[in-house]
Amino acid sequence: MKTLFLFIFVISSLFGSNVQKLEMQILSSVAHALVHKKYINVCIDDKNLENLKGYSKTLKFVSCDKADIVFTAEDSGMDKKCKTNIIFSTSYYLYSHSSVMTGAFFWQKGRPNIIFRKKQLKYLGINLPKNFNKYIE
Amino acid sequence: MLKKILVGFTVAFLLLQTLNAQDINTLLNSLAEKDDLSVHTKKENAGYLIIFTRQDLDRMKTRSLKELIEKIPFVRYNENSRGLSDPYFQPYQANNPSRIRIYINDRELLSPMFGNGLQILGQMDMAYIDHVEVYIGLPSYEISIEPAATVIKLYTKTGKRENTSVFGISGGSYGTSDTYGYTAKDMKDFSYFIYGDHRNLKREKLYNQGNLLSRDKETGNFYAQLTTAISRFEFQAIKGSMNNFLGNSWNMTPQNSTTDFTYLYAGYNFTSPDKSVKANINYTYAIYDYFDSSNAPLGLNPISVYPFYAPFYTNRVKMHEDLLDTQITKKLNFSKSSLLLGFRNRYKKFTSDIHTRNSISVPTSSNYNYEDIVSAYEEFDYMLNKKNRLIFSSSIDKYFEGGGINGETIYGIRLGHIYHNDIYTQKSFFFYGKFRATPYALLVNDSLLVNPGDLKSEKSYAISTKSIWKLEDLTTSLLFARTVLNNHIYFNPTSGSYKNSTDKYVFDSISYKNSYALNVTDKIEFNAWISFEDYGKNANDRYETKHGGYVALFKKLGSIDTYNAITYRDGYDNLSSGWNYNITLSYPYSKHLSLFLKGENLFKDAVKANYYRVNPLTQQVTTLDNVSVFDRTVWLGMEYEF
């Protein structure tokens, strides 16, 4: 019986995929591409993504000073209290106006898009998995 | 054993989920589909909805709105005797906006004299449009306060979702060319979208008695939008020059027949932070300059000596229109229900600037020059329980007409029930309302020396239900509708006026649609519909059974994106059946440059139109049959993203 419930749970979780879950999966993939740890401390500073926090098991949501990576749409995301240099923008405007952004997740030409900044990756000494190569610019 | 199988399944699914999660490209494709802009704009409870998403339009490389019209159930694309898009065209009958209404964002495109915006937009470029929502079956007043059988809402691209600059160029058969470009950005506190296009549309050339019948059109379009959290400012300017195809020549021999037009629009849209209050004000100014000449008469001028008429061979009508449309809505939310209250005013003014026949000024025989419609409506949405909701809407429209024409107050009601669970939805609606005669029909009747009497509004009621089954990859729907129309307004060529028909029109319609997602990017769609129409005319020809449908396949082959579709229509009075096969191949040459090849009506067997003209002096009938409204066209184009 327990197995049947597990089966139903898995099926429904597959069928119940929604926008928030997809956004979280994308941020999770980005975080794991940039930070090579099983569990990653993440700070999210974007009110549009606040409601994503319940959707990941491998990302732990913390304040900026404890984060391995910061996802931000605001200038405050670059607070000096942040120890990490891995700052990933969730706003195209911020990405294009700040050279310290490692990359960005935003909508472009009617589609969601991610970009990694080559210069910043080199500066931080990060090698991305091969399947992310086409997103480096 | 069962336990092992279930565990095996579970592990396989978990593994699949993990693999999917690792494929960033798949995740981005899924998000593009599930968070399409239409998800935020569509109103599922407003009626029966068909959506052409951004992904669909991009993959189809849609060149104009007419391509989408032919995929709408119960509609057969057609063009009128001036070569303009008019699905319900019948010889001598004027365009009636109550059949199809067109909106761009929250603005209706409407010309009091020329009908719905489809005549302007039908064959123009639409690279500034993000997605299209089609509401069929007399949708909610929230969608369109003036009722219509089909409402097409075009939503523009937005700065927030574009963040790029694009230039595109393409060429097609007969010498057609398109150029367009836009720039759009999401800034810190606002976003903007600025777009421009130029289309030189060359259509297949037709001849009658050695005279060229041209449907060529040249248009330029500029659109700009500035959006903040609560406001949206819009501006649009369209300038065009079109050949009038048959014009009004009695034997279809136009010699120099063109229409120049200018369309200017400015609008402001407000949405409160909690989205409970919405308001918009839209102003449109349009100029139309129609010129027609022929070696055959275009019409008759009344004169004071026997035979009391004289034919004229040239005709020029230049007029301008002002439309001011304001609307405010307030939504009140309660624990189990919501109440939407709306007020709207549409002021339509039309002024004749020049009217000459044989270069001689024609005195105006009517003082009718404006229509003002004041409307109020409410929509009460009550949740009976988690699965059932009831909707009750009502509207009142007060028509004020200029020139001493009688106004009218008309009422409408709409009742709805929606049942919804995880995989099944049932929507049912009842509509009762009236369609007021268009200002054009009122003007024609008012211009006659003999008053033909008041035109009654068309009276309609419709009852419909749609079942929708949604599984993960498969969506199936079945729609039944019965629509009854009384007092049908038609043009009587003998009297030269608009009249009410005494016949009752009954339409029984069924539509079945399937959409199956083959994977994240690929899908196949199938639609078949049939409409039994009782026109209440003579016993011999009172029934018509029309049917149609389409099959469309969106498929990625390596890096090439393909779209294949075949559309079918049959059963139209004296018109042969039509099969329209389209194919589009898109290839991303590099990250910035993409190429496409598109074929329209490749079998040259799409729907055709028949035209006729009657010489009222000799009763001689001139016909032009089997005119393809979709030219066989091949497009080759590129798009560069900066």
Side-chain angles (χ1 to χ4, degrees):
Chain A
M1 198 60 175
K2 212 186 275 178
T3 318
L4 187 64
F5 274 121
L6 177 67
F7 179 71
I8 291 167
F9 170 76
V10 172
I11 296 295
S12 57
S13 73
L14 273 173
F15 283 4
S17 64
N18 53 31
V19 170
Q20 283 83 16
K21 192 171 166 186
L22 283 166
E23 286 176 334
M24 192 67 255
Q25 284 178 307
I26 290 166
L27 294 188
S28 179
S29 294
V30 167
H32 283 280
L34 290 167
V35 181
H36 303 293
K37 286 165 72 176
K38 191 175 179 187
Y39 295 99
I40 302 171
N41 290 333
V42 170
C43 172
I44 290 188
D45 186 17
D46 180 344
K47 58 179 184 294
N48 294 319
L49 301 177
E50 285 288 312
N51 53 358
L52 298 187
K53 290 181 180 174
Y55 284 94
S56 178
K57 287 171 187 164
T58 57
L59 302 185
K60 188 180 173 192
F61 296 93
V62 297
S63 58
C64 187
D65 56 324
K66 291 174 187 161
D68 298 313
I69 178 170
V70 177
F71 290 104
T72 181
E74 311 291 338
D75 294 343
S76 58
M78 292 173 284
D79 195 314
K80 284 181 182 167
K81 282 188 284 183
C82 302
K83 286 176 188 165
T84 180
N85 286 321
I86 306 176
I87 304 170
F88 204 85
S89 173
T90 51
S91 144
Y92 179 77
Y93 178 79
L94 184 61
Y95 173 76
S96 57
H97 286 80
S98 172
S99 57
V100 300
M101 294 290 146
T102 311
F105 171 44
F106 59 99
W107 283 77
Q108 187 173 43
K109 213 165 173 279
R111 290 179 58 81
N113 191 22
I114 55 169
I115 286 179
F116 293 90
R117 190 171 266 147
K118 194 175 184 177
K119 198 176 163 187
Q120 197 64 10
L121 291 174
K122 198 174 173 186
Y123 170 73
L124 296 169
I126 297 170
N127 288 315
L128 292 176
K130 275 183 186 169
N131 58 334
F132 283 84
N133 280 351
K134 71 182 220 184
Y135 301 105
I136 300 172
E137 68 163 30
Chain B
M1 185 62 187
L2 175 69
K3 195 173 173 183
K4 279 182 182 172
I5 291 170
L6 289 174
V7 170
F9 257 115
T10 306
V11 171
F13 272 113
L14 280 172
L15 198 62
L16 188 67
Q17 196 177 29
T18 311
L19 287 172
N20 276 342
Q22 286 172 347
D23 186 358
I24 189 72
N25 202 34
T26 305
L27 288 172
L28 290 169
N29 282 332
S30 296
L31 186 60
E33 186 210 328
K34 294 213 184 300
D35 199 22
D36 185 82
L37 193 56
S38 63
V39 172
H40 304 269
T41 58
K42 70 181 177 182
K43 294 181 175 69
E44 286 277 10
N45 298 338
Y48 307 120
L49 178 60
I50 299 165
I51 299 176
F52 298 96
T53 65
R54 171 67 178 270
Q55 312 301 320
D56 292 343
L57 299 183
D58 277 353
R59 298 175 80 178
M60 291 163 74
K61 295 291 174 202
T62 312
R63 309 316 299 157
S64 58
L65 191 54
K66 66 190 267 188
E67 289 174 45
L68 306 184
I69 302 278
E70 69 157 359
K71 291 175 90 177
I72 301 173
F74 319 122
V75 178
R76 177 196 192 273
Y77 180 76
N78 209 347
E79 290 176 357
N80 64 20
S81 54
R82 290 167 64 191
L84 302 174
S85 302
D86 186 356
Y88 293 93
F89 167 71
Q90 293 280 335
Y92 289 105
Q93 303 303 319
N95 177 276
N96 189 340
S98 66
R99 305 298 183 259
I100 292 186
R101 291 188 184 276
I102 310 284
Y103 286 75
I104 296 181
N105 295 328
D106 294 307
R107 159 200 23 150
E108 182 177 0
L109 272 94
L110 178 71
S111 160
M113 287 295 108
F114 295 92
N116 64 29
L118 197 54
Q119 302 210 27
I120 297 174
L121 286 187
Q123 294 167 61
M124 283 183 61
D125 196 359
M126 52 186 290
Y128 65 118
I129 298 301
D130 180 88
H131 67 280
V132 178
E133 295 170 8
V134 181
Y135 295 85
I136 57 174
L138 300 154
S140 158
Y141 302 117
E142 191 184 1
I143 299 296
S144 175
I145 178 68
E146 284 185 277
T150 302
V151 176
I152 300 175
K153 294 202 81 170
L154 299 104
Y155 286 89
T156 56
K157 291 172 179 172
T158 64
K160 211 174 178 61
R161 291 218 167 196
E162 292 304 313
N163 283 309
T164 189
S165 297
V166 166
F167 173 74
I169 186 165
S170 59
S173 307
Y174 309 107
T176 291
S177 65
D178 261 355
T179 52
Y180 67 87
Y182 67 81
T183 183
K185 287 280 183 316
D186 184 15
M187 307 301 282
K188 202 172 179 186
D189 301 314
F190 67 93
S191 65
Y192 67 85
F193 174 72
I194 300 169
Y195 168 88
D197 76 54
H198 175 263
R199 166 167 288 184
N200 195 359
L201 178 67
K202 302 288 186 186
R203 301 286 303 271
E204 184 183 12
K205 301 290 177 291
L206 302 166
Y207 294 89
N208 183 33
Q209 299 174 37
N211 287 68
L212 174 65
L213 306 174
S214 172
R215 294 171 287 176
D216 293 353
K217 296 165 185 64
E218 187 171 3
T219 48
N221 178 20
F222 174 81
Y223 174 82
Q225 182 190 95
L226 181 76
T227 309
T228 69
I230 57 168
S231 296
R232 185 181 69 230
F233 299 88
E234 288 177 278
F235 175 77
Q236 186 164 23
I238 304 172
K239 195 161 176 53
S241 181
M242 310 181 287
N243 291 331
N244 288 334
F245 189 36
L246 305 178
N248 285 323
S249 168
W250 282 357
N251 63 357
M252 298 184 185
T253 54
Q255 289 182 319
N256 178 17
S257 185
T258 57
T259 300
D260 296 325
F261 73 93
T262 303
Y263 173 93
L264 299 170
Y265 159 77
Y268 171 70
N269 187 294
F270 167 82
T271 305
S272 64
D274 64 356
K275 299 193 189 321
S276 68
V277 177
K278 292 182 181 177
N280 58 62
I281 179 163
N282 299 303
Y283 174 69
T284 304
Y285 179 79
I287 306 169
Y288 302 90
D289 192 349
Y290 174 86
F291 179 75
D292 201 0
S293 74
S294 172
N295 55 11
L298 302 170
L300 298 173
N301 261 335
I303 56 172
S304 55
V305 294
Y306 183 81
F308 305 111
Y309 60 79
F312 58 89
Y313 298 88
T314 66
N315 185 31
R316 185 181 176 198
V317 179
K318 184 180 180 187
M319 64 183 307
H320 68 269
E321 298 173 341
D322 294 83
L323 279 86
L324 184 64
D325 185 354
T326 52
Q327 179 169 226
I328 183 163
T329 61
K330 166 76 179 169
K331 192 166 193 176
L332 303 165
N333 290 306
F334 308 104
S335 61
K336 287 176 107 181
S337 60
S338 68
L339 177 65
L340 179 75
L341 298 171
F343 297 94
R344 191 173 173 192
N345 185 74
R346 282 145 295 155
Y347 179 75
K348 309 170 184 177
K349 187 165 190 281
F350 28 95
T351 308
S352 176
D353 300 313
I354 299 171
H355 188 189
T356 60
R357 291 171 176 169
N358 290 345
S359 303
I360 299 167
S361 184
V362 178
T364 307
S365 55
S366 170
N367 295 321
Y368 180 45
N369 65 349
Y370 77 85
E371 180 176 74
D372 192 12
I373 313 167
V374 182
S375 307
Y377 62 92
E378 62 74 31
E379 184 161 295
F380 184 64
D381 192 332
Y382 182 73
M383 293 282 290
L384 282 172
N385 50 47
K386 280 182 182 173
K387 292 180 179 172
N388 289 281
R389 66 198 303 165
L390 293 173
I391 298 161
F392 173 75
S393 321
S394 59
S395 72
I396 176 168
D397 302 292
K398 176 83 180 163
Y399 284 77
F400 299 92
E401 310 284 359
I405 290 180
N406 291 334
E408 187 181 9
T409 302
I410 61 178
Y411 304 92
I413 59 164
R414 192 168 172 275
L415 303 171
H417 171 255
I418 296 175
Y419 171 84
H420 178 74
N421 67 28
D422 291 343
I423 58 167
Y424 177 71
T425 302
Q426 178 85 40
K427 295 181 184 181
S428 304
F429 295 104
F430 170 79
F431 167 87
Y432 167 81
K434 286 183 174 179
F435 304 119
R436 170 85 173 157
T438 62
Y440 181 74
L442 296 174
L443 179 68
V444 167
N445 280 14
D446 194 52
S447 302
L448 293 174
L449 298 175
V450 180
N451 190 339
D454 282 345
L455 274 176
K456 288 183 211 158
S457 291
E458 293 181 337
K459 199 159 56 175
S460 174
Y461 67 84
I463 188 158
S464 55
T465 188
K466 185 176 185 181
S467 304
I468 306 159
W469 293 266
K470 258 186 194 168
L471 301 171
E472 179 68 1
D473 298 322
L474 176 69
T475 303
T476 299
S477 65
L478 188 59
L479 167 71
F480 295 94
R482 164 168 278 209
T483 308
V484 178
L485 185 70
N486 286 304
N487 300 336
H488 171 56
I489 295 171
Y490 71 102
F491 182 73
N492 184 328
T494 311
S495 66
S497 65
Y498 284 86
K499 292 183 177 295
N500 287 110
S501 169
T502 53
D503 294 325
K504 184 161 91 172
Y505 289 58
V506 182
F507 308 90
D508 289 316
S509 314
I510 303 168
S511 175
Y512 173 76
K513 188 174 178 187
N514 245 334
S515 179
Y516 182 71
L518 300 165
N519 53 47
V520 174
T521 56
D522 302 341
K523 66 176 177 179
I524 185 163
E525 290 179 350
F526 169 78
N527 169 240
W529 59 264
I530 188 163
S531 175
F532 306 98
E533 304 186 359
D534 176 355
Y535 280 81
K537 291 189 290 186
N538 305 317
N540 295 334
D541 62 355
R542 64 181 288 180
Y543 298 107
E544 266 185 26
T545 304
K546 300 171 179 173
H547 38 99
Y550 72 87
V551 181
L553 173 68
F554 296 83
K555 183 155 182 64
K556 265 193 181 297
L557 295 171
S559 56
I560 297 175
D561 217 334
T562 70
Y563 164 74
N564 279 270
I566 188 154
T567 312
Y568 169 69
R569 291 289 184 272
D570 195 13
Y572 286 79
D573 204 9
N574 301 320
L575 294 170
S576 57
S577 61
W579 293 88
N580 188 1
Y581 174 63
N582 294 323
I583 182 168
T584 304
L585 305 173
S586 312
Y587 175 65
Y589 180 78
S590 69
K591 200 171 178 182
H592 295 283
L593 180 66
S594 63
L595 308 169
F596 79 87
L597 181 67
K598 179 183 173 80
E600 275 184 290
N601 188 19
L602 289 180
F603 297 159
K604 213 176 179 182
D605 195 25
V607 288
K608 296 176 174 61
N610 293 343
Y611 303 92
Y612 70 85
R613 278 284 149 73
V614 181
N615 182 325
L617 298 179
T618 63
Q619 299 302 312
Q620 183 192 345
V621 178
T622 307
T623 59
L624 184 71
D625 292 339
N626 292 319
V627 176
S628 183
V629 291
F630 288 97
D631 294 334
R632 176 154 67 181
T633 310
V634 176
W635 295 80
L636 181 63
M638 57 77 75
E639 189 175 82
Y640 189 82
E641 190 182 349
F642 294 94

